[in-house]
Amino acid sequence: MALGLWTTEFVPKTKDRAAEVTTVIQMQTSLEVADNSGARRVEMIMPIGGSTGKIASLGDRIKVTVKEASPDGTIKKGTVQDAVIVRTRKEVRRADGTYVRFDQNAAVLIKEDGTPIGTRVFGPVARELRDKNFMKIVSLAPEVI
């Protein structure tokens, strides 16, 4: 069922269904910025964390470079920032058997302590952010899916 920016599907669990390894966001992937920090588009450099390899999924911290920025924003083009992924085009399987996917890849720029740089978050965010303790982003978002 498709409703705007996101889609959720139910797929029953079967013994025949093997666990999928999905590449979600990888190096040099371009992402929209879902906050009012001043950046408009960013490109992923590397995920932040131990054994993540070179891919990242919903709720993962990543290192990004700003490719497009608004002229009056606080974040300038070419700067390197931390971000967290809030929406992905690739579906993500949840424990209850449902899948969630969005119309675009999007991230929110964050500080070292995990709080967002901007004061607003645009568009829906995934529920996986709550599990990874990004509560400030979840509270600023208009919808949590």
Side-chain angles (χ1 to χ4, degrees):
M1 137 174 94
L3 299 173
L5 285 175
W6 59 278
T7 303
T8 181
E9 303 168 359
F10 177 74
V11 178
K13 295 180 183 178
T14 63
K15 290 183 179 179
D16 297 337
R17 181 175 297 276
E20 296 179 7
V21 177
T22 59
T23 301
V24 180
I25 304 295
Q26 60 186 357
M27 292 171 55
Q28 296 185 342
T29 299
S30 182
L31 300 108
E32 299 275 333
V33 177
D35 62 15
N36 65 344
S37 61
R40 291 185 184 154
R41 182 160 286 281
V42 294
E43 182 179 290
M44 178 176 151
I45 299 173
M46 281 292 282
I48 298 173
S51 62
T52 61
K54 293 183 190 299
I55 62 170
S57 183
L58 280 175
D60 287 346
R61 293 172 67 114
I62 59 174
K63 190 70 83 168
V64 297
T65 180
V66 178
K67 291 298 181 182
E68 289 179 28
S70 59
D72 55 346
T74 57
I75 304 296
K76 300 303 178 194
K77 180 180 173 182
T79 60
V80 176
Q81 303 287 331
D82 288 349
V84 62
I85 300 172
V86 296
R87 292 192 290 268
T88 59
R89 288 185 57 103
K90 178 67 179 170
E91 65 273 359
V92 175
R93 187 177 192 279
R94 291 185 171 160
D96 62 354
T98 60
Y99 287 79
V100 64
R101 74 170 161 242
F102 297 90
D103 287 345
Q104 64 194 6
N105 297 322
V108 171
L109 300 182
I110 57 175
K111 301 174 190 170
E112 287 293 323
D113 60 353
T115 58
I117 293 175
T119 57
R120 295 178 62 197
V121 174
F122 304 116
V125 298
R127 193 181 319 138
E128 284 76 5
L129 293 176
R130 181 172 286 142
D131 301 335
K132 298 198 177 181
N133 291 327
F134 291 106
M135 298 306 292
K136 184 69 175 173
I137 296 172
V138 170
S139 67
L140 291 174
E143 188 174 7
V144 180
I145 297 173

